[in-house]
Amino acid sequence: IPQSAAEKMKNTWLFNEMKNALKSSSLVIPEAYEFKKRTCVCLNNLNEMLSKINELDERINAEQISNTVNKYEQNDPKRKKIANSQNQNLHQLYTVRVIRAENLKGFTNDGLANSAISLVDTARHKEIAKTKVVYKSVNPLWDEEFEIGIPANESRMISAMIWHHTSKINPLSSYAVCGKCSVLLDHKRFRNDGFPEDVVLDLDTQGKLFVQISLENEKVDALFCMGRAYRTLNRACDRV
């Protein structure tokens, strides 16, 4: 049975992914973890987890802890040196907010597309994030956030692949490439203040992709940890 161009592309991509995985000498297969019923309930009750995070924040007063620790570190050169050494070994955290695209290539009979974005770490040949599918639009709005951790003083080239899904019943059954583009996540290109910067990327076929990228260094800090936990849960709630 002759294969369509989309099927050939899918099979080639899957084969290359498996080949790259087998080539990796550092590949470690994790042991299977058996979740208990209580754990599954807790993990799925995201609103309750957000409520508990807020209760914990009020109980421990993370802002006061952070200010007190910073005050003692500033007044003690030895402690300050230890803190700086700890922070240097932590990750850079990039928050990539995939907002929308415009003027995508149409694939359906009415000239529209059922599109989703896949973010791929090109160095590791690994998909690190994926949006939902937006149906019947050449100007899709996703508005989804993803957090990408990169070791300090390193950079990553991230490829954004926009896929058209031909089947609404089974989105993985068949797809085609609407377009692709890439962005370099480098601490020299973005402000290290946690505030988002607008980035517009030209697709290789036609159209544009609009994203926001913010950079913040990971810290051994109570306020930072509480904020990160809250943001992670909020993103999880948005995807449910």
Side-chain angles (χ1 to χ4, degrees), residues 6-218:
E7 288 173 335
K8 288 181 180 178
M9 185 180 300
K10 179 178 70 173
N11 292 335
T12 302
W13 183 78
L14 290 172
F15 176 73
N16 288 334
E17 285 295 299
M18 289 187 288
K19 188 167 65 173
N20 289 327
L22 292 173
K23 282 182 180 179
S24 176
S25 59
S26 59
L27 183 64
V28 178
I29 301 176
E31 294 183 5
Y33 181 84
E34 184 177 352
F35 287 94
K36 297 180 180 179
K37 291 183 179 180
R38 175 182 172 82
T39 306
C40 293
V41 171
C42 290
L43 289 173
N44 284 281
N45 196 347
L46 297 175
N47 289 325
E48 182 64 21
M49 292 176 71
L50 275 172
S51 175
K52 294 298 182 183
I53 286 286
N54 288 327
E55 289 180 14
L56 178 63
D57 190 20
E58 292 176 1
R59 184 183 304 174
I60 67 174
N61 197 341
E63 185 175 2
Q64 183 179 355
I65 292 175
S66 179
N67 292 336
T68 301
V69 171
N70 288 333
K71 179 181 176 180
Y72 277 97
E73 286 177 351
Q74 295 299 323
N75 295 330
D76 188 330
K78 185 176 180 180
R79 289 181 179 176
K80 185 177 180 180
K81 184 177 180 180
I82 294 173
N84 290 337
S85 176
Q86 290 175 332
N87 289 330
Q88 284 176 359
N89 297 324
L90 298 178
H91 285 71
Q92 307 165 101
L93 296 179
Y94 291 87
T95 300
V96 179
R97 183 183 176 192
V98 179
I99 302 175
R100 63 186 179 90
E102 69 176 26
N103 192 30
L104 291 182
K105 181 181 178 181
F107 284 87
T108 61
N109 294 332
D110 48 5
L112 301 177
N114 307 321
S115 54
I117 292 185
S118 173
L119 299 181
V120 178
D121 185 333
T122 58
R124 297 188 297 162
H125 306 283
K126 181 180 180 182
E127 182 182 75
I128 53 179
K130 183 168 59 178
T131 69
K132 64 192 176 193
V133 180
V134 175
Y135 292 95
K136 296 184 178 180
S137 176
V138 292
N139 301 302
L141 174 67
W142 294 284
D143 198 16
E144 295 186 44
E145 277 189 359
F146 306 97
E147 190 174 89
I148 302 173
I150 298 175
N153 300 320
E154 292 188 16
S155 60
R156 287 284 189 279
M157 182 65 74
I158 303 299
S159 174
M161 304 282 293
I162 302 183
W163 299 94
H164 164 69
H165 296 261
T166 60
S167 172
K168 191 170 183 179
I169 299 175
N170 182 11
L172 296 178
S173 63
S174 181
Y175 48 83
V177 178
C178 287
K180 61 182 179 179
C181 55
S182 59
V183 61
L184 179 65
L185 299 184
D186 191 324
H187 65 280
K188 297 177 182 177
R189 298 185 59 186
F190 297 96
R191 299 188 306 268
N192 184 13
D193 56 10
F195 289 98
E197 300 180 47
D198 293 320
V199 178
V200 181
L201 303 170
D202 292 317
L203 299 173
D204 64 339
T205 49
Q206 67 179 58
K208 297 179 182 293
L209 176 64
F210 297 82
V211 300
Q212 287 184 338
I213 299 176
S214 61
L215 168 62
E216 184 179 15
N217 281 345
E218 198 174 20

